[in-house]
Amino acid sequence: MLDQVVNLAAVTILGVLEQAYFSLKVIYARRKYSVSPPSTTGPPEFERVFRAQVNCSEYFPLFIVILWVTGVFFSQAAASFCGLLYLWARFMYFRGYSESAHGRLAPLYLSGKVLWVLIGLSALGVLNSMGQVYLRLDALQYLSGILTG
Amino acid sequence: MLDQVVNLAAVTILGVLEQAYFSLKVIYARRKYSVSPPSTTGPPEFERVFRAQVNCSEYFPLFIVILWVTGVFFSQAAASFCGLLYLWARFMYFRGYSESAHGRLAPLYLSGKVLWVLIGLSALGVLNSMGQVYLRLDALQYLSGILTG
Amino acid sequence: MLDQVVNLAAVTILGVLEQAYFSLKVIYARRKYSVSPPSTTGPPEFERVFRAQVNCSEYFPLFIVILWVTGVFFSQAAASFCGLLYLWARFMYFRGYSESAHGRLAPLYLSGKVLWVLIGLSALGVLNSMGQVYLRLDALQYLSGILTG
């Protein structure tokens, strides 16, 4: 049974490692720009790194939750692929935002698009499961039956 | 097996959609009140929308986690019902807070109460499972046996 | 099957209760130092309590996610033990930070170390499962076979 979620678990660990990396970057930025906790304001260079990390942290639970629902109810392979793409987009976002407020935009839009794809796939998977449970229908199997003749 | 969690998954997707809606509202407020990232301070109208979204984001992981523990260890139906109520309360909270700091209070208290109900039900369910595993007792079945004569 | 995750669920509920306790502490600090929402700045005494809660909230999803991956793919007992240690370290962190910025450091480092242990154990467990699924190897069983002769 664990083989049906092992790739999701691997993507999850990568996601946690990425968040740990972002947190370390904020600690370095605090030292470099002499912004001691609890303060969170300082030069724009510090604030961009700080806000990049906060934004990634804010989206992390949404990402993990929708990754797993997609992986369990739709397809582990599709979810894992989107998951890796999302983590890569977030890495580029963090790097871009650290350099300039404008640099965050392109990868932010990419990460947003990947999230919407995951939301769409998870909704498909869950609606299909609800159809099976409550209406005894299996729309996804029916469709793939049509497609494969 | 998935039928035992499919409603939890559906509530989870609704929760993710709600958070996405709140994030879009912050983006619109940033434009309307000309507050460019990484800044998070501005007129009170912007700060209320911003704080409403931050507060909902902060509670989202607690909500999802306790929703699933309740759904798996106590009852999927009870958890899903409380989950929908929580999401509705959070929607009213966001709307109320956007209008005035006072407007956030009533739905905030409601969302808090729903969370406490979920915490209580999840604790009941988990304690019952621990009793089964470690003491070979089944308190919930025993109680329902008494209640149904 | 639930007996394989019931301790993880119990640690999770404790974690949610701890976060609820931190949130209440912020509400009390808002009243004590007269900092009304949506404002989040005020005397350092308030800002330390506020930042302590924000930091714990930020790490909570990482903690829960890595707790469950470790518990499911490596060992429920090891994950639950690390989980309790983490929650204790976070409690000491919150108390220490409330008193002084310096007081947060020792428990923060402890909580960080526990997280790294969990990340390491989860990676071991997931890599082992991937070996089983994709290479038909079972490294952990092989190692324990060597160790027990």
Side-chain angles (χ1 to χ4, degrees):
Chain A
M1 246 219 33
L2 288 187
D3 61 303
Q4 286 165 27
V5 291
V6 70
N7 294 345
L8 304 177
V11 174
T12 300
I13 295 174
L14 286 178
V16 170
L17 286 172
E18 191 175 72
Q19 288 297 121
Y21 170 77
F22 295 159
S23 292
L24 290 174
K25 283 289 192 182
V26 173
I27 293 173
Y28 296 149
R30 278 191 178 282
R31 282 186 200 150
K32 190 171 170 189
Y33 302 106
S34 305
V35 181
S36 299
S39 176
T40 60
T41 49
E45 289 78 16
F46 167 75
E47 292 198 2
R48 287 201 309 271
V49 173
F50 177 74
R51 284 297 309 163
Q53 190 264 336
V54 168
N55 189 286
C56 292
S57 294
E58 212 167 270
Y59 277 86
F60 182 76
L62 301 179
F63 164 62
I64 291 293
V65 148
I66 211 72
L67 171 78
W68 280 78
V69 174
T70 304
V72 169
F73 285 91
F74 184 79
S75 146
Q76 184 181 205
S80 306
F81 175 78
C82 290
L84 291 175
L85 196 60
Y86 178 84
L87 293 180
W88 181 76
R90 278 292 169 177
F91 183 78
M92 298 310 288
Y93 163 83
F94 193 90
R95 248 178 46 167
Y97 206 170
S98 301
E99 279 159 25
S100 73
H102 180 79
R104 81 188 196 289
L105 288 177
L108 185 63
Y109 295 150
L110 174 60
S111 77
K113 275 174 204 158
V114 177
L115 266 194
W116 281 113
V117 169
L118 281 170
I119 290 173
L121 296 181
S122 66
L124 269 181
V126 167
L127 286 174
N128 189 55
S129 281
M130 289 182 122
Q132 284 172 25
V133 173
Y134 298 113
L135 309 172
R136 304 194 176 213
L137 286 174
D138 193 335
L140 286 183
Q141 205 170 348
Y142 179 73
L143 277 176
S144 77
I146 291 176
L147 290 172
T148 59
Chain B
M1 244 216 36
L2 289 187
D3 59 304
Q4 285 165 29
V5 293
V6 70
N7 295 346
L8 304 177
V11 174
T12 299
I13 295 174
L14 286 179
V16 170
L17 286 172
E18 190 175 72
Q19 288 297 122
Y21 170 77
F22 294 158
S23 292
L24 290 174
K25 283 287 191 182
V26 173
I27 293 172
Y28 297 148
R30 279 190 179 282
R31 283 186 199 152
K32 189 171 170 189
Y33 302 107
S34 306
V35 181
S36 299
S39 178
T40 59
T41 48
E45 289 76 17
F46 167 75
E47 292 200 1
R48 287 201 309 272
V49 173
F50 177 74
R51 285 297 308 162
Q53 189 264 336
V54 168
N55 188 286
C56 292
S57 295
E58 211 167 271
Y59 277 86
F60 181 76
L62 301 179
F63 164 63
I64 290 294
V65 149
I66 212 71
L67 171 78
W68 281 79
V69 173
T70 304
V72 170
F73 285 91
F74 186 79
S75 147
Q76 185 180 206
S80 307
F81 175 78
C82 290
L84 291 175
L85 197 59
Y86 177 85
L87 294 179
W88 181 77
R90 278 292 169 176
F91 183 79
M92 299 309 288
Y93 163 84
F94 194 89
R95 248 176 47 164
Y97 206 170
S98 300
E99 278 159 24
S100 73
H102 181 78
R104 83 190 194 287
L105 290 176
L108 184 63
Y109 293 151
L110 174 60
S111 77
K113 273 175 204 157
V114 176
L115 265 194
W116 281 113
V117 169
L118 281 170
I119 291 174
L121 296 181
S122 67
L124 269 181
V126 167
L127 286 174
N128 189 55
S129 281
M130 289 182 121
Q132 284 172 24
V133 174
Y134 297 113
L135 308 172
R136 307 196 173 213
L137 285 172
D138 192 335
L140 286 183
Q141 201 168 355
Y142 181 73
L143 276 176
S144 76
I146 291 176
L147 290 173
T148 59
Chain C
M1 245 219 30
L2 287 187
D3 59 306
Q4 286 166 28
V5 293
V6 70
N7 294 346
L8 304 177
V11 174
T12 299
I13 295 174
L14 286 178
V16 170
L17 286 172
E18 191 176 72
Q19 288 297 121
Y21 170 77
F22 295 159
S23 292
L24 290 174
K25 283 287 192 182
V26 173
I27 293 172
Y28 296 149
R30 278 191 179 281
R31 282 185 200 151
K32 190 171 169 189
Y33 302 106
S34 307
V35 181
S36 299
S39 177
T40 60
T41 49
E45 288 78 15
F46 167 75
E47 293 199 1
R48 286 202 309 272
V49 173
F50 177 74
R51 284 298 306 163
Q53 190 264 336
V54 168
N55 189 287
C56 292
S57 295
E58 210 167 271
Y59 277 86
F60 181 77
L62 302 179
F63 163 64
I64 290 295
V65 149
I66 212 70
L67 171 79
W68 280 78
V69 174
T70 304
V72 169
F73 285 90
F74 185 79
S75 147
Q76 184 181 206
S80 307
F81 176 78
C82 290
L84 291 175
L85 197 60
Y86 178 85
L87 293 179
W88 181 77
R90 278 291 168 177
F91 183 79
M92 299 310 288
Y93 164 84
F94 193 90
R95 248 178 45 167
Y97 207 170
S98 302
E99 278 159 24
S100 74
H102 181 79
R104 83 189 194 289
L105 289 177
L108 184 63
Y109 294 150
L110 175 60
S111 76
K113 275 174 203 158
V114 177
L115 265 194
W116 281 113
V117 169
L118 282 169
I119 291 173
L121 296 181
S122 66
L124 269 181
V126 167
L127 286 175
N128 189 56
S129 280
M130 289 184 121
Q132 285 173 24
V133 173
Y134 298 113
L135 309 172
R136 302 193 177 217
L137 286 173
D138 191 337
L140 287 182
Q141 202 169 354
Y142 179 74
L143 276 175
S144 78
I146 291 176
L147 290 171
T148 59

